[in-house]
């Protein structure tokens, strides 16, 4: 009963924040006039609401849910509350793909070149990860392989930035890597939605296996859980979610780390319950953060990734301190 109440509350919270994301902005229109303009689609206000704010709000829900869900899956799989979705290297590889598209100028010739390059980078990262770690790899091997891929992607990204053909290209790379939902269109929504939907279905189907894994790998295997299949499902599902999210928004950190930690006590020890709750919580957190970027410094283009890092980093340090005290 408490779990259903929690999910219902999160759904209402996401719906309220989605509506606020549509109605809040630099426009002087009131809520009623904004809703009327949205339904009619007429005039400049209708254009702004349908072509600018609606894709931004939809991506806030999709990307936030993707990051929250993948974070909960990674923490359940690794049995570590400090694990986060980018641990397997897909976010760094997706960012590298986007940076290459900017560096080569491909994004200027083709509107979707940047997110498509990011998705390609994430796909290559998964292939390399599975090749390095092997399908039978244990969690530690996956972590080490992911760290190696993240380091390589980070080094190549720095190289691309260092060799940028012009200061404008370098600035474009830096701003994109900060993460943002601004200036996105329904094309970005259409591109990200299938990957996020597939990744979400794959991860949600791993709930039973993750529940059994809380007892240990040997116990999970004795309960009939196929550990190689579970690892493959978590890796592929997380890669699809994180790759698609990074492709359309850039680097947005800490959502997948913070949200599952905040909701874990409310859902108990079962990862299967934490997965959908974290998806809703991630959507709510990203929508709230995006609204804040418009209201805190309205005259400046405050990047979403910067705000989530400013909020998430102190929370992360507090988590480490708390775990250290419990260990002592």
């Amino acid at each position: 009963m408490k779990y259903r109440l929690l999910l219902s509350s999160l759904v209402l919270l996401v719906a309220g924040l989605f509506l606020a994301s549509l109605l809040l902005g630099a426009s002087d229109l009131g809520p009623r006039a904004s809703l009327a303009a949205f339904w009619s689609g007429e005039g400049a206000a209708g254009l702004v609401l349908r072509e600018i704010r609606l894709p931004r709000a939809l991506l806030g829900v999709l990307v936030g849910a993707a990051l929250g869900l993948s974070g909960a899956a990674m923490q359940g799989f690794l049995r570590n509350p400090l694990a986060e979705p980018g641990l397997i290297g897909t976010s760094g590889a997706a960012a590298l793909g986007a940076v290459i598209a900017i560096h080569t100028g491909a994004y200027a010739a083709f509107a979707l070149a940047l997110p498509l390059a990011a998705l390609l980078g994430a796909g290559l990262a998964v292939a390399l990860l599975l090749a390095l770690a092997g399908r039978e790899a244990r969690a530690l091997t996956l972590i080490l392989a992911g760290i190696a891929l993240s380091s390589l992607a980070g080094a190549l990204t720095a190289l691309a930035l260092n060799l940028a053909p012009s200061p404008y290209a370098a600035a474009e790379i830096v701003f994109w890597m900060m993460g943002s939902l601004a200036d996105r269109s329904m094309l970005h929504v259409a591109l990200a939605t299938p990957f996020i939907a597939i990744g979400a279905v794959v991860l949600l189907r791993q709930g039973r296996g993750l529940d059994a894994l809380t007892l240990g790998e040997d116990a999970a295997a004795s309960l009939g859980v196929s550990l190689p299949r579970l690892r493959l499902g978590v890796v592929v599902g997380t890669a699809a979610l994180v790759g698609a999210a990074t492709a359309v928004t850039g680097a947005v950190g800490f959502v997948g780390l913070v949200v599952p930690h905040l909701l874990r006590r409310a859902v108990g020890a079962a990862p299967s319950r934490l997965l959908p709750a974290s998806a809703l919580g991630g959507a709510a957190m990203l929508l709230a953060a995006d609204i804040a970027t418009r209201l805190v410094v309205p005259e400046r283009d405050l990047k979403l990734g910067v705000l989530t890092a400013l909020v998430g980093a102190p929370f992360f340090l507090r988590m480490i301190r708390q775990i250290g005290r419990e260990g002592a």
Side-chain angles (χ1 to χ4, degrees), residues 78-104:
L78 299 176
R79 287 165 289 169
N80 187 340
L82 299 181
E84 57 97 20
L87 196 61
I88 59 175
T90 50
S91 57
L96 174 61
V99 166
I100 291 174
I102 298 173
H103 182 86
T104 59

Side-chain angles (χ1 to χ4, degrees), residues 230-246:
L230 176 63
R231 295 185 191 105
L232 183 63
V234 170
V235 169
V236 171
T238 299
L241 292 173
V242 176
T246 306

Side-chain angles (χ1 to χ4, degrees), residues 117-177:
L119 286 171
L120 178 61
L124 291 175
V126 174
L128 284 172
L129 179 71
L130 295 176
L132 288 171
R135 194 168 180 268
E136 302 291 334
R138 289 187 173 269
L140 179 59
T141 310
L142 286 175
I143 293 173
L144 293 175
I147 291 173
L149 288 175
S150 294
S151 299
L152 178 60
L156 293 175
T157 299
L159 178 63
L161 185 59
N162 182 225
L163 300 178
S166 69
Y168 301 103
E172 190 74 24
I173 291 172
V174 171
F175 282 124
W176 185 86
M177 290 178 65

Side-chain angles (χ1 to χ4, degrees), residues 22-254:
L22 279 178
L23 301 182
L24 295 177
S27 173
D28 294 329
L29 291 176
R32 183 174 297 180
S34 295
L35 283 175
F38 175 75
W39 288 118
S40 67
E42 297 175 354
L47 184 65
V48 168
L49 285 164
R50 288 194 175 187
E51 301 298 327
I52 297 177
R53 292 189 188 173
L54 179 59
R56 188 168 184 167
L58 289 173
L59 284 176
V61 173
L62 289 171
V63 173
L67 295 176
L69 175 57
S70 56
M74 287 301 297
Q75 290 179 14
F77 174 66
L78 299 176
R79 287 165 289 169
N80 187 340
L82 299 181
E84 57 97 20
L87 196 61
I88 59 175
T90 50
S91 57
L96 174 61
V99 166
I100 291 174
I102 298 173
H103 182 86
T104 59
Y107 83 108
F110 176 46
L112 293 179
L114 192 150
L116 287 173
L119 286 171
L120 178 61
L124 291 175
V126 174
L128 284 172
L129 179 71
L130 295 176
L132 288 171
R135 194 168 180 268
E136 302 291 334
R138 289 187 173 269
L140 179 59
T141 310
L142 286 175
I143 293 173
L144 293 175
I147 291 173
L149 288 175
S150 294
S151 299
L152 178 60
L156 293 175
T157 299
L159 178 63
L161 185 59
N162 182 225
L163 300 178
S166 69
Y168 301 103
E172 190 74 24
I173 291 172
V174 171
F175 282 124
W176 185 86
M177 290 178 65
M178 291 181 183
S180 177
L181 294 177
D183 302 322
R184 302 314 191 256
S185 67
M186 292 303 292
L187 283 174
H188 293 87
V189 176
L191 179 65
T193 299
F195 293 95
I196 291 177
I198 292 171
V201 170
V202 170
L203 286 188
L204 290 172
R205 293 182 65 181
Q206 311 307 317
R208 174 181 168 273
L210 293 175
D211 285 347
L213 194 60
T214 59
L215 304 174
E217 292 191 358
D218 293 336
S222 67
L223 291 173
V225 175
S226 173
L227 295 179
R229 184 178 298 176
L230 176 63
R231 295 185 191 105
L232 183 63
V234 170
V235 169
V236 171
T238 299
L241 292 173
V242 176
T246 306
V248 294
T249 64
V252 177
F254 290 99

